[in-house]
Amino acid sequence: MKLHEYQSKDLLAKHGVTVPGGEVADNPADAKSIADRFGGKVVVKAQVLMGGRGKAGGVKLFTDSQAASDFTKDLIGKRLVSIQNPAGMVVEKVLVAEQIDIAEEYYLSVLMDRAASKLVVMISKEGGMEIEEVAEKNPEAIVKVHVDPAWGLCDYELREAVGRANIPNVARGQMISMIKKLVKTYIESDADLIEINPCALTPEGKLIAADAKVSIDDNALFRQLAYQETADDSAEDEIEAEAARRGIAYVRLDGEVGIIGNGAGLVMCSMDEVKAAGGQPADFLDVGGGAQAERVKSCVELVMMDPKVKGILINIFGGITRCDEVAKGILQAIEELKITIPVVARIEGTAAEAGRAILAGSQIVPAQSMQEAAQKIVATTR
Ligand code: GDP
Ligand code: MN
């Protein structure tokens, strides 16, 4: 679950990390009074869960509070689009933060290195820009330090690492101290990512987390009580957020073939078959066990929210799930949502005969096997 920048900074501040002062606002009047508190010298930042807000026009510096307030008025309700998130996200809140003078921008992050089964800290002097870009063009500019699960991080390792990253002397001690706090926050909050970009050095030589991105491991939300309530709203993608509200396992992908199946394994097989047939999956959607007609309809509706979808493949193997229930749901969805794009269904297992009978004579194209279903849907969407 991704936290907004303001939530991330609150969490980090509680752990002693230096962050700029600031407060969140959802209207221009509040933005003005917050900006006044900092003498008008603020940065207004869209609170949307996507990267590259700066380039997308969602971050702007001001020297007077009225201008900051006017910008807030423009920004709220606007859809920001970035390279990382071409569908974009609508701005509901802004962070009005004290504007700091920045001499240099560095990059810091803590994440899980699964291959090494250890946390890894990444340090770079090339902050400000996207780290993926640095990784591609100048990979040696990223220094990695693994955190020993038993010993944690030792000072000498960190001193060596910030030295290797060419962080200037004035910032080294502060950065070492910040990294330790980040790792402590990571572990105590069950985070799966903490990223500070930029980690800013002021002309006076003070190190400040000017931007912060924290993500909490969804599997730990049962004990990270502070974040449970906001969990549903935190998906980066609007359709994924809606799926979370409906309790449906859905992941949005880039292709054009909508995929619905029951059981994660069967859905992944269906995706493989679509790829093998030359198509690209538009999503992963698992209707779950024992799905009723109403739920199946809700799933079809969800898949149809993605405008890229040109056809839908439905792959059901009825065990607990009854195929006639699923068929009823599909039919209802097609009729009520007035779906005109091709739909291919492969239905096998409990009550399959009854299910196929329900679909017979409708616009839904039947298929005997998964492969056949994939080939048929890809042929119509290509
Ligand atoms: P992102 O584009 O979503 O990563 O948003 P950031 O918070 O990183 O802001 C983008 C850029 O705006 C940063 O890299 C900085 O160069 C600049 N910026 C953000 N906050 C401040 C600030 O307080 N002072 C100054 N001078 N620049 C800032
Ligand atoms: Mn940033």
Side-chain angles (χ1 to χ4, degrees), residues 53 128 197-198 211:
R53 294 168 304 164
N197 189 24
D211 186 15

Side-chain angles (χ1 to χ4, degrees), residues 5 9 20 42-43 45 50-55 59 61 97-102 105 127-130 197-198 210-213:
E5 178 190 6
K9 283 180 168 168
V42 290
V43 51
K45 311 177 80 176
M50 60 184 225
R53 294 168 304 164
K55 282 185 199 145
V59 175
L61 309 180
E98 165 194 11
Q99 186 190 130
I100 54 173
D101 294 329
I102 300 180
E105 300 192 328
M129 63 180 114
E130 299 305 319
N197 189 24
D211 186 15
K213 203 186 266 182

Side-chain angles (χ1 to χ4, degrees), residues 249-253 259 263-265 267-268 271 281-286:
Y250 169 93
V251 180
R252 191 168 180 181
L253 302 167
I259 295 186
V267 178
M268 285 196 273
M271 292 162 61
D283 65 82
F284 166 101
L285 190 156
D286 176 6

Side-chain angles (χ1 to χ4, degrees), residues 68-324:
S69 165
D70 292 346
F71 179 66
T72 301
K73 192 173 170 208
D74 287 346
L75 207 51
I76 285 177
K78 196 170 147 184
R79 180 176 291 271
L80 283 191
V81 176
S82 72
I83 309 157
Q84 291 92 333
N85 195 326
M89 300 214 74
V90 175
V91 182
E92 286 170 9
K93 292 184 183 128
V94 298
L95 172 63
V96 183
E98 165 194 11
Q99 186 190 130
I100 54 173
D101 294 329
I102 300 180
E104 290 197 44
E105 300 192 328
Y106 311 129
Y107 173 94
L108 283 182
S109 65
V110 186
L111 62 155
M112 174 61 73
D113 180 346
R114 290 177 198 279
S117 305
K118 282 176 185 166
L119 295 189
V120 64
V121 176
M122 301 217 277
I123 306 165
S124 181
K125 198 170 182 295
E126 310 288 322
M129 63 180 114
E130 299 305 319
I131 198 66
E132 289 80 5
E133 212 177 307
V134 181
E136 201 172 298
K137 289 186 189 146
N138 192 10
E140 59 287 355
I142 303 172
V143 170
K144 297 178 186 173
V145 203
H146 284 101
V147 183
D148 186 281
W151 301 108
L153 279 169
C154 295
D155 278 24
Y156 76 85
E157 290 176 296
L158 287 171
R159 272 199 301 273
E160 188 274 335
V162 296
R164 195 147 44 96
N166 288 317
I167 302 298
N169 268 321
V170 55
R172 288 188 187 181
Q174 297 175 76
M175 187 174 279
I176 290 171
S177 145
M178 192 186 287
I179 291 170
K180 288 190 200 165
K181 288 168 187 165
L182 297 181
V183 171
K184 193 162 184 282
T185 310
Y186 189 101
I187 294 170
E188 288 179 5
S189 311
D190 291 310
D192 49 30
L193 172 74
I194 297 185
E195 187 179 69
I196 311 297
N197 189 24
C199 175
L201 183 68
T202 67
E204 298 76 38
K206 212 172 159 213
L207 199 67
I208 300 175
D211 186 15
K213 203 186 266 182
V214 175
S215 165
I216 307 289
D217 186 341
D218 290 331
N219 295 310
L221 287 177
F222 73 95
R223 62 183 186 191
Q224 294 297 333
L225 304 176
Y227 302 117
Q228 270 179 4
E229 284 171 22
T230 43
D232 289 356
D233 300 323
S234 74
E236 189 162 353
D237 180 89
E238 283 164 354
I239 307 179
E240 288 182 3
E242 181 56 27
R245 280 189 283 276
R246 297 181 184 197
I248 295 169
Y250 169 93
V251 180
R252 191 168 180 181
L253 302 167
D254 295 329
E256 66 292 331
V257 180
I259 295 186
I260 297 175
N262 66 323
L266 193 68
V267 178
M268 285 196 273
C269 272
S270 315
M271 292 162 61
D272 286 347
E273 289 295 349
V274 164
K275 283 213 163 200
Q280 293 294 335
D283 65 82
F284 166 101
L285 190 156
D286 176 6
V287 293
Q292 300 290 304
E294 194 55 36
R295 184 175 172 84
V296 174
K297 191 186 132 198
S298 176
C299 290
V300 175
E301 190 175 37
L302 207 59
V303 167
M304 289 302 296
M305 285 178 194
D306 183 346
K308 292 192 310 306
V309 171
K310 288 198 229 151
I312 303 178
L313 166 66
I314 300 177
N315 188 1
I316 302 291
F317 187 85
I320 304 168
T321 309
R322 293 185 54 91
C323 293
D324 49 352

